């Protein structure tokens, strides 16, 4: 089963990369740093391997607080003068600062947790060995859980700091790092980390916050996302216990003739949430999306023009978009529409064959994607009121995580610095109004911080949330950067931000 | 989780047992046999233990053809002159005959397979040790998968044959045994066994067919069932592949904004199958139930009068019957109404927490209970046509097992012999029109054989399909028989049938 990343690059737009990998460092002043990056390659790769072996998975309560302590040490080793583990009511976060005595301060958002995995599903290498193997068409990749999501690119950013320091150069910006351990469960406690007084005070000095990422698809394409949809992850649970009808424990299926079924109760409730085709939200008083602006429509049109629709459909194993829409309209729908999606259904017997039971409990796992200016709390409140009004008030709405959508202006210096770095490297990036996936950028872009936020980083990886996740270490593909190229992209970006 | 037996005794009516266990063998001629039963107790218990250790589970393709060979040997050891393994397109059956040179011939229906189990869920003893332990209020019980469903009572029937032979007595009836290895998956190939020419020819000579069973609840109550509902077990599967919409492989949930969802497609299809309360079948042209006869209503009224409704609701962890019906009407509904029940729902992420995916496949496991004179094939055909007409023709209807309902007249000699034996033992049994569960009696009662069919056997056990299944070996409860009492009930029944 393919489990793509919450912040998947699978469906973003792109531009043609024209440079060769060796031509990246255009600025001559950075040549000594580039030499240092090469010199420290093995050390940096080893650091990433050690990090992958230190597993933290919030859903399994695995690797805490060790993951946070490891993260704090990584920051100190990279030159942060202070790095503190910050307790929350969930898993701890890390707050670190690097004061370079410069005018500009930049925020970094890291996650040190990774998605759950089943070692049995990994075919190319075990998930925790961080083995380096050959991958056709790419070169040498490191295979491991967290390799691309998000330890690989984050380690490359840290390697950039090591290299700048190692080359005897002055750090071009001050840095404020917040790292959380609950990204993969929907960042339920990120506010306790980011809005803690001393953290908030440090972030208020920042020109913006970015998360190290991989912007290059296997064909070297580069896109700048200007935000992300919000998300609510929740379970709807129908049970005999809460309903007061149907069995409180699973009973024999023959009893259906005289006992109500919590499973049918759930089906009837679910049916009311969306239109007959399953595609439009029918929840009463649900918050409405802001229509796409002319500027956003133009961005989408540009992307649609260069996108290979047939290839995209093949990658997504899909014959038709919703309503048989043409490409551009499908993309507009992707960008503009909120969704109510079924992630999972669970009731009774889920194994092979049948089991003649009347289950006492049925659950639907939903994710609701939100677009500007919808609010998570409004969506949840509307859902609850909708269910209650229709006789489904007993069905539990268990919200497990999520957050509001996030948006940053194309004109923000944080974004324009990305454009400058990419253009110097011969890349003319396209823009994408927002990633249809989600990340908790709202905590930076929303009240009270109202900062610019984004992702940046050359390099490539794939398989986030899936088996055989990898991050490219040594590229044999002239269109995409390997590890050292990714590290240099961060060096360039930091210098650009410092200008 | 409680997984009651397909032929559960959990919800049948009862009568008061007045005799003491030791007073059972009323017929003096049977005294030497009774002595032989006692003498051979340890041997018979050991035989049952060996049988439990020989596991056959069709759903797991486990224990074949060994289970059939073991069954054939058990029959031979008990005096059947021939016992043959009969291959089918599924798991093999066994056909055996015992010619006693008597006028009357009786059929026996056995199952040698057992339900799946998870050893981790067994708390009192491991499922395959067949350990004998003390159970409060009952005495010594044998714990093991198949202990009550159905190896325990079947072994007691075999022990009756050993005892009759051992006592030097003439067998009172000829016997024809059919044993199948697929009862727990819905007997998909039972016709290939039962209607095989030589088997059919042997069965045509029978006055009826019975399955050894346990008729005594923990309070010693005894009920005679006059049939069983039919059942269809099936999976409804919605997939992007078959639909031609939605993904053929699971993709990231953010894509819901432009890609259709097979899970919502399934929900919309399921919604059309039943009324808003989930209790009445809304499938177009679905076969209709035969109304209850006055005689059947009277049987139900008698049962309702003596049944403890509060205790029954407690046992079934249910506060209200469907439509808040009073007891008697709820029982009439149980007896007269077909059901469309959800056994299980499976889509996408079924483990703890969330997983931001748009699953390519969603399945509902259903069981449809049928009452006279509904036919399995008519029910399946109506379901398929109903779905196709509403735009759900792509949803697979995968029938995994099932059969028509079965009914036998109260006046059949097979049943009247039960009444005679029970009355002699001081038990005035009540009748129950049909078990709301199912067993493949239709193969005997339907065309072409049209035989009487039923269940018989004193003794007690519970936990069919559940962990800690047991069969009572030594009773400390004066209301219910232990192993030897069960064996003697079969001796008495065979002699009564031979009259």
């Amino acid at each position: 089963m393919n489990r793509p990343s919450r912040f998947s690059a699978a469906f973003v737009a792109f531009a043609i990369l024209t440079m060769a990998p060796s031509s990246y460092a255009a600025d001559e002043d950075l040549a000594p740093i580039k030499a240092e990056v090469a010199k420290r390659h093995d050390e940096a790769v080893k650091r990433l391997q050690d990090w992958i072996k230190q597993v933290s998975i919030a859903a399994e309560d695995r690797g805490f607080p060790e993951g946070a302590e490891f993260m704090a040490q990584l920051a100190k080793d990279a030159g942060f003068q202070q790095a503190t583990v910050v307790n929350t009511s969930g898993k701890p976060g890390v707050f670190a600062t690097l004061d370079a005595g410069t005018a500009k301060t930049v925020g970094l958002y890291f996650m040190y947790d990774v998605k759950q995995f089943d070692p049995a599903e990994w075919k190319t290498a075990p998930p925790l060995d961080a083995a380096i193997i050959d991958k056709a068409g790419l070169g040498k990749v490191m295979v491991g859980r967290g390799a691309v999501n998000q330890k690989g690119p984050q380690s490359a950013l840290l390697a950039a700091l090591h290299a700048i320091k190692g080359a005897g150069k002055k750090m071009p910006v001050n840095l404020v790092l917040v790292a959380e351990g609950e990204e993969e469960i929907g960042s339920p406690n990120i506010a306790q980390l980011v809005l803690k007084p001393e953290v908030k005070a440090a972030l208020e000095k920042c020109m913006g916050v970015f998360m190290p990422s991989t912007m290059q698809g296997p064909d070297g394409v580069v896109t700048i996302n200007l935000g992300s949809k919000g998300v609510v992850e929740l379970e709807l649970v129908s049970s005999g216990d809460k309903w007061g009808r149907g069995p409180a424990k699973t009973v024999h299926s023959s009893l259906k003739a005289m006992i109500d079924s919590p499973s049918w109760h759930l089906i009837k409730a679910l049916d009311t949430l969306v239109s007959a085709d399953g595609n439009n939200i029918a929840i009463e008083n649900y918050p409405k999306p802001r229509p796409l602006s002319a500027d956003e429509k133009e961005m989408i049109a540009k992307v649609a023009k260069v996108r290979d629709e047939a290839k995209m459909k093949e990658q997504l194993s899909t014959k038709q978009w919703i309503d048989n829409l043409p490409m551009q309209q499908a993309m507009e729908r992707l960008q503009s529409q909120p969704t109510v999606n079924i992630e999972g259904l669970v009731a009774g017997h889920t194994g092979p064959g049948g089991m003649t039971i009347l289950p006492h409990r049925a659950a639907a796992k939903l994710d609701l994607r939100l677009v500007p200016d919808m609010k998570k709390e409004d969506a949840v409140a509307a859902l609850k009121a909708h269910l209650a009004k229709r006789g489904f008030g007993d069905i539990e709405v268990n919200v497990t995580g999520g957050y509001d959508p996030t948006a940053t202006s194309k004109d923000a210096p944080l974004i324009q610095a990305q454009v400058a770095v990419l253009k110097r490297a011969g890349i003319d990036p396209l823009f994408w109004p927002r990633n249809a996936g989600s990340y908790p950028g709202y905590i930076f872009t929303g009240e009270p911080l109202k900062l610019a936020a984004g992702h940046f980083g050359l390099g490539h990886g794939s398989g986030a949330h899936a088996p055989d996740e990898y991050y490219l270490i040594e590229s044999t593909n002239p269109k995409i950067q390997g590890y050292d190229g990714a590290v240099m992209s961060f060096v360039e970006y930091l210098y650009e931000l410092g200008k």
Side-chain angles (χ1 to χ4, degrees), chain A:
Chain A
M1 188 170 57
N2 176 28
R3 302 193 193 86
S5 165
R6 173 170 291 135
F7 194 83
S8 168
F11 186 59
V12 290
F14 55 93
I16 305 305
L17 177 69
T18 53
M19 63 164 193
S22 59
S23 71
Y24 186 75
D27 187 334
E28 280 312 306
D29 290 341
L30 302 183
I33 299 174
K34 192 178 176 192
E36 192 74 13
V37 168
K39 194 176 111 187
R40 291 170 176 267
H41 173 88
D42 292 351
E43 167 194 315
V45 167
K46 171 71 165 48
R47 190 184 300 120
L48 172 55
Q49 288 175 314
D50 291 345
W51 199 4
I52 286 174
K53 289 170 191 179
Q54 169 57 55
V55 181
S56 298
I57 299 177
E60 298 176 352
D61 195 19
R62 175 177 178 183
F64 302 93
E66 303 87 79
E69 288 157 1
F70 196 96
M71 176 74 248
Q73 191 59 48
L74 283 174
K76 284 179 190 161
D77 293 347
F80 285 81
Q81 290 100 347
Q82 74 81 19
T84 322
V85 172
V86 178
N87 287 322
T88 71
S89 42
K91 305 305 177 195
V94 173
F95 165 54
T97 48
L98 187 159
D99 184 354
T102 56
K104 301 273 181 72
T105 302
V106 174
L108 292 169
Y109 166 62
F110 277 29
M111 55 188 277
Y112 70 82
D113 63 324
V114 297
K115 196 72 188 173
Q116 305 97 293
F117 58 90
D118 177 359
E121 295 177 350
W122 291 59
K123 305 301 175 201
T124 59
L128 300 184
D129 282 10
I132 295 176
I133 65 168
D134 286 309
K135 194 167 177 77
L138 287 174
K140 292 196 184 300
V141 302
M142 190 184 298
V143 175
R145 174 50 89 228
V148 64
N149 178 208
Q150 203 77 296
K151 290 175 175 174
Q154 290 171 170
S155 77
L157 183 284
L158 295 175
L161 306 187
H162 280 276
I164 293 169
K165 192 171 59 171
K169 299 280 183 179
K170 181 173 157 62
M171 196 66 63
V173 289
N174 307 314
L175 293 172
V176 175
L177 168 70
V178 287
E180 70 158 323
E182 299 184 316
E183 201 278 345
E184 294 295 4
I185 58 166
S187 308
N189 303 297
I190 195 170
Q192 292 176 36
L193 169 64
V194 171
L195 302 183
K196 191 177 166 151
E198 59 267 38
V199 182
K200 176 168 168 274
L203 285 167
E204 279 168 346
K205 294 177 194 147
C206 293
M207 60 187 295
V209 180
F210 77 95
M211 180 179 222
S213 183
T214 49
M215 301 173 90
Q216 296 185 295
D219 44 5
V221 300
V222 174
T223 306
I224 296 177
N225 281 301
L226 297 175
S228 285
K229 286 189 179 179
V231 69
V232 186
E233 282 202 86
L234 60 88
E235 274 198 1
L236 296 184
V237 181
S238 169
S239 68
D241 241 353
K242 286 273 159 57
W243 191 14
R245 307 197 66 82
K249 292 177 187 170
T250 292
V251 297
H252 193 244
S253 72
S254 62
L255 294 157
K256 179 67 202 78
M258 63 189 298
I259 297 181
D260 297 271
S261 161
S263 300
W264 279 123
H265 191 52
L266 178 69
I267 297 295
K268 292 290 171 177
L270 287 170
D271 179 66
T272 68
L273 301 184
V274 296
S275 57
D277 61 6
N279 293 331
N280 293 296
I281 300 171
I283 300 168
E284 194 173 336
N285 294 322
Y286 203 69
K288 295 282 173 289
R290 180 179 79 193
L292 289 173
S293 67
D295 199 28
E296 287 169 333
K297 283 195 175 183
E298 196 186 318
M299 289 178 194
I300 296 168
K302 277 186 186 166
V303 169
K305 205 179 293 177
V306 296
R307 197 74 167 96
D308 181 339
E309 182 173 9
K311 193 171 172 188
M312 199 170 132
K313 282 183 171 169
E314 189 193 330
Q315 282 170 345
L316 298 173
S317 66
T318 297
K319 295 198 180 85
Q320 293 294 343
W321 309 125
I322 279 177
D323 297 331
N324 298 344
L325 290 174
M327 184 71 169
Q328 187 171 330
Q329 282 72 17
M331 284 183 162
E332 286 183 357
R333 199 182 192 294
L334 179 75
Q335 291 288 290
S336 65
Q337 293 305 304
T339 56
V340 173
N341 175 60
I342 295 178
E343 297 179 344
L345 293 171
V346 201
H349 180 61
T350 56
M355 183 78 83
T356 49
I357 53 173
L358 165 48
H360 71 290
R361 182 184 189 277
K365 293 166 190 280
L366 304 184
D367 67 80
L368 322 178
R369 300 277 169 184
L370 310 173
V371 296
D373 298 312
M374 300 168 72
K375 295 285 179 197
K376 175 190 168 192
E377 295 313 324
D378 296 344
V380 172
L383 172 62
K384 286 182 178 173
H386 172 98
L387 290 173
K389 185 172 171 184
R390 284 157 186 79
F392 303 108
D394 59 285
I395 292 182
E396 294 170 70
V397 179
N398 298 329
V399 176
T400 56
Y403 29 75
D404 294 339
T406 182
T408 285
S409 163
K410 182 180 168 181
D411 301 324
L414 187 86
I415 302 300
Q416 286 302 315
Q418 296 189 6
V419 176
V421 171
L422 292 169
K423 287 202 168 167
R424 262 209 312 278
I427 300 170
D428 189 15
L430 289 185
F431 290 93
W432 195 229
R434 70 186 58 92
N435 191 298
S438 303
Y439 93 109
Y442 82 100
I443 197 72
F444 306 113
T445 61
E447 295 284 356
L449 288 168
K450 296 182 82 65
L451 296 167
H455 286 68
F456 182 80
L458 290 187
H460 170 70
S462 190
H465 295 201
D468 301 317
E469 178 179 354
Y470 69 86
Y471 185 59
L472 183 59
I473 302 297
E474 289 180 38
S475 179
T476 55
N477 180 334
K479 294 180 182 171
I480 52 181
Q481 297 291 328
Y483 196 84
D484 290 356
V487 175
M488 276 311 294
S489 76
F490 292 118
V491 171
E492 294 242 5
Y493 188 38
L494 293 174
Y495 275 91
E496 185 65 33
L497 288 167
K499 277 182 185 170

